[in-house]
Amino acid sequence: MQKTQQNKLLSLLLCIVLIAAMALTASGCSDKNTVQNGTVTFQDGAVLGKGETVFTLTVIDKEGTEISCEVHTDKKTVGEALLELQLIAGEESAYGLYVKTVCGITADYNTDGTYWAFYIDGAYATSGVDTTDIAAGSTYTLKVE
């Protein structure tokens, strides 16, 4: 009888240790695919915003880490939607909004020779984020290059 209780106790202890190990492993993995921008924090696969039009935003940083989220909005352009969610920041230029910061990550050609490239459904965009009308279901990518 005592041996049965010892086996149950040992099994319970082993389960607790395994659960703790899995929790630590999972929390370590999620940090890799999390972006924090001041008040905005999201993980890969997050759903952001409110509205009837839905598109995917993919962000690729200098190291090649890629995260994607689903954006819901009623704004007309990609730039308006991303500015409203505080996902991008930049400065106005003669050519429109020059995006310098995406999700708290800064790329500035004048400082480090990098910039945020803008892609629409995998193709390099010929328009800026602030002049690109949102097409529902499209994927917009901002990548440090």
Side-chain angles (χ1 to χ4, degrees), residues 27-51:
S27 68
C29 290
S30 67
D31 289 344
K32 195 174 202 179
N33 294 323
T34 300
V35 170
Q36 185 168 358
N37 174 23
T39 59
V40 179
T41 300
F42 70 90
Q43 291 185 333
D44 194 40
V47 176
L48 303 174
K50 294 180 181 177

